[in-house]
Amino acid sequence: MISALILTPFCLGLLMFVLRSDALRRGLLVGGAVLHLLLTLTCLRFPPLPEAQGWLALDAPGMLFLALSSILFLASAIYAFGYLRVESHVLRHRDVEEGFLFDNEPEAVFCGCLLFFLSTMTLVSASRHLGLLWVAIEATTLASAPLICFHRHHRSLEATWKYLLVCSVGIALALLGNFFLVIALSFGKGVPLVSLSLADLQNTLPGANPAWLKAAYGCLVIGYGTKMGLAPMHTWLPDAHSESPSLVSALLSGAVLNTAFLGILRATQICAWGGQIGFARPVLLTFGLVSILVAAVFLFSQSDYKRMLAYSSVEHMGILVFGLGLGGSAVAGVFFHAINHSLAKGALFLLAGNILVCTGTKSCRQIQGLLQRLPVSGALWLLGFFAITGLPPFGMFFSKLMILKQALAAGHLALAIGFLLLMAIVFMGMSTIVLRMCLGSAGHHPPVTERPGAVIPPLLLLLCAVGIAWVWPQPLRDLIVEAGRLLAFAGANGGALP
Amino acid sequence: MNTLIDFSMMSLILLNLVLLGATRLIHSVRLVAVQGLILGLLPLWGMVGATHHLEIRLCAISLATLGVKCLLFPWLMQRIIREGPTHREVKPSIALPTALLTGIAALALAFWISHKLVLPDPRLAESLIIPAGFFGIFTGLLLIVTRRTALSQVIGYVALENGIFAIGLVFAHEAPLLIELGILLDVFVAVFVMGVTVFHINRDFDHMDTDRLTELRDLPP
């Protein structure tokens, strides 16, 4: 079952390079996304058995992130269907900002890499072996790099180059972390066989050498943190998110960052099994707060709305890591936060694509009166802003509250105040930009009627976000409670939900 | 531990020092290819020292490492150099003598760190594996940060990977074959995708100087 989930998109991706017809390729992309979502839902309903000696299995965090990736991929695939058709009408494209001409990447490469990307993300979610996890996370970087330079011009090449180099070096450090873990495990046991499978690690880690375990944890957090966009290793993120096509930004921000977070979750799990959770917590709290701080500073004077969304991703990744560092009941909040963030950010990036196509600029200072100019996308953009900053009717308010509650319950008063202050700064920074874009008069621009294919995917994602907050479906609740229980490490009431 | 392993590690350290001073790209490519050769043979030396009989798993790892690091990478990078306009590193952001001095400082740091670390096997503590691995990592990072040609940065990445590999090949001797091959495959694809990107940078900019790739930023220069 799990191997089917991984292999289906992979084989479809290979097929993309063979097919001749563009229309068939786009149809197959959407078909593959639907098939993957159906398989994922089946796994949710009937939990699959572990495969490959327990290396592949879906536990609660993996299942949650797999479902998120799958939903987001379907929305992006539907968006891509219309997007690629519009893009293929002209041979040479004019850059909307600087006016030069450029080519697109061949569509076969783009669609093929999209499906490889889905396959590698599935592999990350299902990995229960640290070596396999490393291979899979590096593979997501490599499958997504060609997607960023779909429009082949100097800015996208610069973004791709930074993404590839910064993430590859970061993930190479995570490999070093894995080797350090092996060294930590081979101390004094007399057992020659060292296994990095999570099932074995749970038993062998209590005897590990603490110094090497700490070194391993540091390398893993810095390595996967680079991929996750934690400050100060976030430098690739704003560039890659602002230069790639919007549907790719949606996937990068909503799905890839989560998979990298899964790497950090696993690292924290082994650190706790080795009895070093006291070392992990301050590391996570520091990375979390620094990321939120950096994001708040750069959000405040941002003039590019896609970069604004990218920095908002840095902020939310900071919140996730901060919550994980607090432990206890904050961890369930972290998972709920990740769900809300992925859905809202995916929708916002797709809408940013619509706005860019219509207005021809990425600068938010040149845009006014979106509510009149783009009645549907403009309204959704405003709603998406509510969702990402945690205003009702969206669920992010509750998740932030759960994290804050745990900070107060654990007696971190200073951290809680700092967290609240930074949230306020971020909110002010984002609201200035978004409200200025939405309100005001549209001037001489008439209202534009948009393609249904461009507004339905973000609408569906936002509906999902509202639905999750208000209907609160039972399987989802079970998953979050289970995931929170697995990673709370505080004993007591970890995973209690409001 | 084993004189052959120590000899290999000494050569790795020297090659890294030469790499820091090399300006011709083709020369740097050959240097990392020799590193690949040394790394590819490393699993075999461990076998000679320990068990005295051939293990299929180690032979497979050795062959795959040789194939990827000693043949595929140099071939790929030589093609890029031949077809591109840039043949030597121009104006690295720190001068070459400074880079070499920094390299020697990094080597001292690598030895100091290794001296501080407690190893599970006392025989390992005497060998040069850990300092050579750390020095490889430092060299790679130094090259990526100070060189401005895109291909030099790829070479830096390969040097960094080689350093990590030197540690991994010795310690992860019980790691499953599949994972080792997966890691090699990933590194290979990484260099391949980087190579394709360098090719496009060459074509679009008529050079592969990354200091012109500075348009995307938030703070004014």
Side-chain angles (χ1 to χ4, degrees):
Chain A
M1 188 68 199
I2 298 175
S3 39
L5 260 174
I6 297 165
L7 288 177
T8 311
F10 185 79
C11 295
L12 283 174
L14 286 179
L15 193 61
M16 291 290 174
F17 288 91
V18 186
L19 289 178
R20 295 247 166 233
S21 146
D22 279 345
L24 187 60
R25 211 178 277 137
R26 288 169 212 146
L28 210 57
L29 179 65
V30 179
V34 172
L35 189 61
H36 190 266
L37 185 60
L38 286 178
L39 282 174
T40 306
L41 290 178
T42 319
C43 284
L44 198 60
R45 183 75 186 77
F46 308 101
L49 292 172
E51 287 176 32
Q53 308 157 358
W55 287 15
L56 291 177
L58 282 167
D59 57 356
M63 189 67 231
L64 264 178
F65 287 146
L66 174 65
L68 267 181
S69 307
S70 193
I71 292 172
L72 219 68
F73 190 84
L74 179 61
S76 300
I78 297 173
Y79 191 88
F81 188 81
Y83 175 80
L84 290 174
R85 199 166 51 189
V86 173
E87 286 276 318
S88 66
H89 283 166
V90 264
L91 278 178
R92 297 278 282 168
H93 298 264
R94 188 169 290 281
D95 184 68
V96 288
E97 287 181 285
E98 296 174 41
F100 56 83
L101 293 171
F102 63 88
D103 291 323
N104 275 351
E105 203 171 57
E107 224 178 283
V109 176
F110 187 71
C111 292
C113 283
L114 267 178
L115 285 165
F116 289 154
F117 189 30
L118 178 64
S119 166
T120 53
M121 286 193 294
T122 314
L123 184 59
V124 177
S125 311
S127 294
R128 297 277 294 161
H129 183 285
L130 288 179
L132 188 62
L133 183 77
W134 184 88
V135 170
I137 291 185
E138 172 72 3
T140 60
T141 314
L142 303 174
S144 53
L147 299 175
I148 296 175
C149 60
F150 176 59
H151 298 305
R152 277 189 181 149
H153 51 65
H154 61 278
R155 277 180 286 119
S156 72
L157 275 175
E158 180 185 342
T160 313
W161 185 249
K162 276 188 189 168
Y163 176 62
L164 260 177
L165 208 65
V166 175
C167 285
S168 295
V169 169
I171 298 175
L173 287 184
L175 181 62
L176 188 65
N178 277 346
F179 290 148
F180 282 177
L181 189 63
V182 172
I183 298 178
L185 286 169
S186 51
F187 262 94
K189 299 287 280 187
V191 190
L193 199 82
V194 173
S195 159
L196 287 183
S197 163
L198 283 178
D200 299 331
L201 280 174
Q202 195 158 11
N203 303 321
T204 52
L205 263 169
N209 177 284
W212 281 99
L213 184 61
K214 285 178 190 170
Y217 184 71
C219 285
L220 287 171
V221 168
I222 290 179
Y224 293 139
T226 309
K227 187 75 199 290
M228 192 186 169
L230 296 179
M233 298 90 74
H234 69 287
T235 45
W236 62 273
L237 194 143
D239 299 343
H241 284 61
S242 67
E243 292 310 319
S244 50
S246 295
L247 72 117
V248 178
S249 319
L251 282 175
L252 279 179
S253 195
V256 182
L257 300 187
N258 281 346
T259 56
F261 180 51
L262 198 60
I264 291 188
L265 286 177
R266 301 290 187 222
T268 311
Q269 235 170 343
I270 57 165
C271 204
W273 288 337
Q276 298 297 330
I277 191 70
F279 173 76
R281 282 198 202 289
V283 173
L284 292 171
L285 289 174
T286 316
F287 270 121
L289 275 186
V290 169
S291 302
I292 305 175
L293 177 71
V294 167
V297 169
F298 281 96
L299 268 173
F300 217 79
S301 56
Q302 195 49 247
S303 63
D304 177 329
Y305 52 86
K306 280 186 91 175
R307 290 181 87 85
M308 171 194 84
L309 293 180
Y311 277 111
S312 153
S313 292
V314 175
E315 176 225 339
H316 286 283
M317 291 306 117
I319 296 178
L320 294 186
V321 171
F322 181 77
L324 183 66
L326 287 172
S329 62
V331 180
V334 162
F335 283 102
F336 192 43
H337 194 88
I339 295 171
N340 281 308
H341 167 255
S342 290
L343 294 172
K345 192 53 70 62
L348 278 170
F349 267 117
L350 296 181
L351 291 166
N354 292 348
I355 297 172
L356 180 61
V357 167
C358 168
T359 59
T361 175
K362 273 193 255 176
S363 159
C364 43
R365 303 215 168 99
Q366 295 172 28
I367 300 178
Q368 265 199 334
L370 267 186
L371 285 175
Q372 292 170 25
R373 260 176 105 173
L374 284 172
V376 186
S377 282
L380 289 178
W381 178 253
L382 194 61
L383 269 183
F385 159 70
F386 286 175
I388 206 72
T389 47
L391 294 180
F394 295 95
M396 204 171 265
F397 178 73
F398 299 111
S399 54
K400 283 183 184 169
L401 198 66
M402 283 158 80
I403 293 171
L404 192 67
K405 210 178 95 192
Q406 175 66 26
L408 289 173
H412 301 301
L413 188 62
L415 285 181
I417 292 174
F419 180 71
L420 264 183
L421 262 179
L422 288 173
M423 288 299 110
I425 296 175
V426 166
F427 180 76
M428 285 189 285
M430 275 190 87
S431 60
T432 324
I433 298 173
V434 172
L435 292 181
R436 197 166 49 197
M437 282 171 74
C438 284
L439 305 177
S441 99
H444 56 276
H445 300 288
V448 179
T449 322
E450 291 167 274
R451 284 183 297 112
V455 287
I456 289 176
L459 177 69
L460 284 180
L461 287 177
L462 284 177
L463 279 179
C464 264
V466 180
I468 282 170
W470 291 94
V471 179
W472 202 215
Q474 190 60 41
L476 181 72
R477 181 196 293 247
D478 294 342
L479 269 184
I480 292 181
V481 171
E482 168 69 12
R485 194 187 57 74
L486 271 179
L487 288 144
F489 301 124
N493 59 344
L497 282 174
Chain B
M1 189 149 173
N2 184 324
T3 37
L4 275 170
I5 291 187
D6 269 353
F7 178 70
S8 310
M9 290 300 149
M10 207 58 229
S11 331
L12 274 187
I13 292 176
L14 289 176
L15 282 170
N16 275 327
L17 274 174
V18 180
L19 194 60
L20 279 172
T23 49
R24 284 189 59 202
L25 291 177
I26 197 87
H27 189 194
S28 306
V29 168
R30 287 188 190 134
L31 287 173
V32 289
V34 179
Q35 285 192 343
L37 179 72
I38 294 173
L39 285 178
L41 295 176
L42 203 55
L44 302 180
W45 302 153
M47 221 154 52
V48 171
T51 51
H52 296 286
H53 56 79
L54 285 176
E55 266 186 69
I56 296 175
R57 206 184 63 85
L58 288 177
C59 292
I61 292 174
S62 167
L63 266 183
T65 314
L66 281 176
V68 170
K69 295 203 175 229
C70 193
L71 295 175
L72 273 174
F73 284 178
W75 174 76
L76 193 72
M77 293 192 274
Q78 274 183 355
R79 265 199 68 174
I80 296 172
I81 295 174
R82 222 180 308 132
E83 287 173 15
T86 318
H87 296 284
R88 54 168 58 240
E89 174 68 35
V90 271
K91 49 175 176 30
S93 57
I94 60 174
L96 288 180
T98 325
L100 273 173
L101 281 178
T102 321
I104 290 168
L107 184 59
L109 181 68
F111 271 100
W112 183 74
I113 294 179
S114 322
H115 182 68
K116 286 277 162 198
L117 289 170
V118 185
L119 283 167
D121 188 342
R123 280 177 309 163
L124 278 177
E126 290 164 14
S127 82
L128 287 171
I129 296 165
I130 296 280
F134 272 117
F135 184 54
I137 296 169
F138 293 149
T139 309
L141 288 176
L142 207 61
L143 285 176
I144 292 173
V145 176
T146 58
R147 297 297 171 96
R148 301 198 179 179
T149 314
L151 197 69
S152 288
Q153 293 176 346
V154 180
I155 292 170
Y157 173 72
V158 175
L160 169 87
E161 274 289 343
N162 284 347
I164 295 176
F165 246 75
I167 296 180
L169 279 177
V170 178
F171 283 99
H173 40 79
E174 295 302 335
L177 178 63
L178 262 176
I179 296 299
E180 298 255 1
L181 294 184
I183 291 171
L184 265 178
L185 179 72
D186 263 0
V187 174
F188 165 65
V189 180
V191 171
F192 180 75
V193 177
M194 283 180 192
V196 172
T197 316
V198 173
F199 174 75
H200 283 294
I201 293 177
N202 272 338
R203 214 190 44 181
D204 273 39
F205 293 73
D206 276 333
H207 64 84
M208 41 181 176
D209 223 4
T210 49
D211 63 347
R212 293 254 291 277
L213 297 179
T214 49
E215 209 170 292
L216 302 175
R217 55 164 76 220
D218 282 300
L219 299 169

